Amino acid sequence: MVPPVFTMMRKTVEDVEYGGYIIPKGWQVIHAANMTQWDPAIFPEPGRFDPAQFDNASAVPPFALVPFGGSARICTGNEFARVETLVAVHHIVTIFRWKLAAGCDRSFSRFSLPYPSQGLLIDIEPIQK
Ligand code: HEM
């Protein structure tokens, strides 16, 4: 929904025709991941948090989900970052009960990475086992 790195740069090595326009060889091109990931033709209801939409990975067209970029320059830390995130989320939801604090909205700002505008205010308590 909010790719941390939202643009990637490339340079055309030959003339490219895209959407009826010619991009000449040697031009610098910026690809915005969020424009692809918010395309309802690819992801219906892109504004709805729905991890289940990725259950059938083969239904997602190539280069449609690009938070780590793609091609030869795909993020080299991509698998590491996914595992790190899974471990962190696992501990957050199995050790603690938490929810957004009252009054905390979901707005975010970019500096240039996205951050919750108010910080991420949460109410948190340990789960008793
Ligand atoms: C959530 C975490 C991360 C995100 C969203 C992310 C995203 C990205 C993106 C979008 C690119 C540009 C890819 C492209 O141009 O196609 C990139 C490049 C890169 N990332 Fe990450 N990254 C993350 C974590 C990491 C980590 C943990 C490492 C290293 C341990 C790392 C190392 C790199 C390197 C070295 C490149 C340059 C690759 C190249 O140009 O060949 N990243 N990353």
Side-chain angles (χ1 to χ4, degrees), residues 2-79:
V2 184
V5 181
F6 79 124
T7 59
M8 283 150 260
M9 312 269 286
R10 292 290 189 273
K11 189 173 174 184
T12 50
V13 293
E14 56 189 51
D15 289 358
V16 178
E17 194 264 322
Y18 183 77
Y21 296 91
I22 299 290
I23 306 170
K25 176 182 175 183
W27 277 34
Q28 204 159 55
V29 181
I30 292 179
H31 166 249
N34 53 332
M35 297 303 283
T36 303
Q37 293 174 197
W38 278 78
D39 183 346
I42 303 172
F43 299 109
E45 297 187 77
R48 191 164 67 89
F49 180 67
D50 178 19
Q53 70 183 316
F54 303 113
D55 284 354
N56 179 9
S58 61
V60 179
F63 299 105
L65 182 68
V66 285
F68 293 96
S71 73
R73 307 315 295 255
I74 192 169
C75 172
T76 46
N78 130 39
E79 295 294 342

Side-chain angles (χ1 to χ4, degrees), residues 64-119:
L65 182 68
V66 285
F68 293 96
S71 73
R73 307 315 295 255
I74 192 169
C75 172
T76 46
N78 130 39
E79 295 294 342
F80 172 71
R82 287 172 197 250
V83 170
E84 195 178 27
T85 305
L86 272 175
V87 170
V89 171
H90 170 82
H91 288 297
I92 288 171
V93 300
T94 56
I95 301 176
F96 302 104
R97 191 174 290 115
W98 64 281
K99 61 179 185 197
L100 280 183
C104 182
D105 66 24
R106 289 161 188 246
S107 62
F108 67 93
S109 316
R110 287 192 179 276
F111 307 107
S112 62
L113 295 181
Y115 295 91
S117 302
Q118 306 169 310

